[in-house]
Amino acid sequence: MASLAQQIGGLRCPSLSTTHLSRKSSFSYNSTNQTIKRVQTTKAAAAVVSNAQTRERMKLKEMFEEAYERCRTAPYEGVAFTVEDFHSAIEKFDYNSEIGSKVKGTVFNVDANGAYIDITAKSSAFLPVREASIHGIKHVEEAGIVPGMRDEFIIIGENEHDDSLILSSRQIQYDLAWERCRQLQAEDVVLKGKVVGANKGGVVAIVEGLRGFVPFSQISSTSNAEELLEQEIPLKFVEVDEEQSRLILSNRKARADSQAQLGIGSVVTGTVQSLKPYGAFIDIGGVNGLLHVSQISHDRVSDIATVLQPGDTLKVMVLSHDRERGRVSLSTKKLEPTPGDMIRNPKLVFEKAEEMAMTFRQRIAQAEAMARADMLRFSPESGLTLNSDGTLGPLGADLPAEGLDLNESPPREEV
């Protein structure tokens, strides 16, 4: 029997055979070569890209250096518009920064102190709040001055700290207000003015943004200065002198003009000022008239407050006018299409006010014609004759042929 050593020595392992080892070594060598070749190829490609980028960077660097050198040595080379041309254009630009001159500008910013205006000058201009309006305002936006707004301003000063200009809108508005007052005086217009002050000679009222003086001799009411403060009263111009800053007004002339238009039977629009147990006081264009409780409606009114309230606007008809005493009697009762409408449907009363007033005036005219006819019957020496219908010939054709009873209530209409 062979020994154990021999038996072991006779065994052969295929994995450790010479052929296998030879093949394995050959494979490892080939794989290593391929890997080295791939790495070398990648490095070569990277080197090519790197060289291309480097050349591009170098090219850009050279371009910037050349541009820098041109800017340093010849900045205007190839430029048609020279520095001399620029200065010449500035000299030709028509810009006036003198005090008192007018300029146009655009608002680009506002704050609590005023507005900043671009007037195409060397620096911006500033509009203080106090110069933004002739009316007392706390912020420029109250005068409609907002970013983007373009308007005309007047130069009134210069800020020494930054050489910016100080502008004003108020000065321009004053000029326009004086021109407006001259126009209203020429047209003899009645306008409202608010009383804001008083002295021993009269009261001060604001009209068109200007302060005017109303002497006590030109105030028609018996109210004192304290009672007139903060009240709006009708006024007419007496004197408008901008050079002397004199603006004299008259309340008496305004009231006389308003009262001249208060014909008997005319319909006017008024505002309820106050209520009393016996009636309501109505402001009709600066004149106070009394709407007696008995003249509110054909139906009985026990409490005026159930029909009218202070501040209500309504149409009334003038019944009488005492110019000497300044008393005007009014009525809505005569304007009712149907008795009681002023209580149930006042809107209908106001819609038909002119129509009902026309009927009332026709009744008045008819009554006067009948009175004259009766007088003619007792005055044959006058030479006048009556028509066959009992009316005078010259009377208007719009009068009804039959006589009317003025105490009679108007017929009811279906509503």
Side-chain angles (χ1 to χ4, degrees):
M1 177 179 291
S3 64
L4 180 61
Q6 291 176 339
Q7 292 178 3
I8 293 174
L11 293 175
R12 296 185 180 276
C13 179
S15 62
L16 297 177
S17 64
T18 304
T19 303
H20 183 75
L21 288 173
S22 176
R23 289 176 181 174
K24 183 175 181 181
S25 300
S26 176
F27 175 78
S28 299
Y29 176 78
N30 292 336
S31 298
T32 302
N33 287 340
Q34 290 176 358
T35 301
I36 292 173
K37 288 180 180 180
R38 283 198 298 270
V39 171
Q40 291 175 346
T41 302
T42 303
K43 288 182 177 180
V48 171
V49 173
S50 177
N51 292 337
Q53 291 178 344
T54 301
R55 286 194 298 271
E56 185 67 24
R57 291 192 185 99
M58 292 300 295
K59 184 178 180 180
L60 289 174
K61 181 180 179 182
E62 291 175 359
M63 290 175 60
F64 282 122
E65 288 177 349
E66 290 177 1
Y68 172 77
E69 186 65 20
R70 286 197 306 271
C71 291
R72 189 179 67 82
T73 59
Y76 302 110
E77 183 180 351
V79 179
F81 194 79
T82 65
V83 176
E84 290 74 16
D85 295 334
F86 176 75
H87 288 300
S88 178
I90 290 294
E91 292 176 358
K92 293 179 180 179
F93 183 73
D94 185 16
Y95 174 75
N96 189 355
S97 61
E98 294 181 359
I99 305 299
S101 60
K102 293 182 180 180
V103 294
K104 288 186 177 181
T106 303
V107 179
F108 66 87
N109 190 27
V110 298
D111 59 22
N113 299 317
Y116 296 89
I117 317 293
D118 177 14
I119 58 173
T120 64
K122 294 182 299 182
S123 60
S124 61
F126 184 65
L127 175 71
V129 174
R130 66 179 182 277
E131 294 295 335
S133 174
I134 58 178
H135 304 286
I137 60 174
K138 296 182 178 179
H139 198 281
V140 292
E141 290 184 346
E142 297 178 38
I145 299 175
V146 295
M149 187 203 77
R150 184 170 178 80
D151 204 351
E152 188 177 47
F153 306 90
I154 187 169
I155 300 174
I156 62 172
E158 184 175 358
N159 192 330
E160 297 179 356
H161 299 290
D162 56 6
D163 294 332
S164 62
L165 299 175
I166 301 176
L167 306 180
S168 174
S169 289
R170 186 176 64 166
Q171 296 295 330
I172 295 177
Q173 293 173 21
Y174 267 126
D175 294 339
L176 294 175
W178 280 104
E179 178 62 30
R180 176 64 175 162
C181 289
R182 286 191 291 268
Q183 179 183 357
L184 294 175
Q185 182 189 30
E187 296 175 359
D188 200 28
V189 173
V190 176
L191 72 163
K192 289 287 187 73
K194 185 176 181 179
V195 178
V196 296
N199 55 37
K200 62 181 181 179
V203 299
V204 178
I206 301 294
V207 290
E208 298 296 319
L210 301 176
R211 296 170 68 90
F213 183 66
V214 188
F216 282 125
S217 61
Q218 293 297 322
I219 297 177
S220 61
S221 68
T222 58
S223 302
N224 56 40
E226 288 73 18
E227 293 174 339
L228 292 175
L229 282 176
E230 300 302 318
Q231 299 293 321
E232 287 193 344
I233 60 176
L235 298 166
K236 293 185 80 171
F237 292 98
V238 176
E239 182 180 355
V240 179
D241 189 343
E242 182 178 2
E243 293 183 358
Q244 301 294 327
S245 296
R246 285 173 58 85
L247 190 62
I248 308 301
L249 306 163
S250 173
N251 169 250
R252 187 179 297 278
K253 290 179 63 176
R255 287 188 178 275
D257 184 74
S258 299
Q259 293 176 3
Q261 302 175 7
L262 299 178
I264 306 303
S266 61
V267 176
V268 293
T269 301
T271 304
V272 179
Q273 295 296 308
S274 61
L275 301 179
K276 302 294 182 182
Y278 51 84
F281 285 97
I282 314 295
D283 178 10
I284 48 175
V287 178
N288 280 328
L290 175 63
L291 176 62
H292 196 270
V293 63
S294 64
Q295 286 296 327
I296 294 178
S297 175
H298 283 86
D299 288 359
R300 184 175 179 274
V301 177
S302 57
D303 185 4
I304 301 177
T306 60
V307 184
L308 301 173
Q309 286 294 321
D312 288 351
T313 300
L314 71 166
K315 288 184 177 181
V316 292
M317 189 175 72
V318 179
L319 288 182
S320 64
H321 182 198
D322 187 345
R323 288 181 173 82
E324 293 182 358
R325 307 172 88 180
R327 295 180 178 178
V328 181
S329 297
L330 307 172
S331 174
T332 52
K333 173 180 177 179
K334 302 296 185 184
L335 301 179
E336 287 184 322
T338 305
D341 280 344
M342 191 60 196
I343 299 174
R344 297 188 300 270
N345 191 3
K347 183 178 179 181
L348 177 65
V349 176
F350 303 148
E351 288 177 354
K352 293 184 172 293
E354 283 75 13
E355 179 182 338
M356 297 303 298
M358 174 64 73
T359 301
F360 177 83
R361 290 193 294 270
Q362 289 176 347
R363 290 176 179 175
I364 295 294
Q366 182 68 23
E368 291 177 350
M370 294 175 65
R372 289 197 299 271
D374 289 339
M375 291 178 63
L376 288 174
R377 291 191 181 96
F378 297 98
S379 305
E381 67 279 1
S382 64
L384 296 177
T385 59
L386 295 174
N387 295 328
S388 58
D389 57 1
T391 62
L392 295 176
L395 292 179
D398 59 336
L399 296 179
E402 67 279 2
L404 296 175
D405 184 359
L406 297 181
N407 296 319
E408 179 182 291
S409 298
R412 292 181 177 269
E413 295 184 2
E414 297 296 333
V415 180

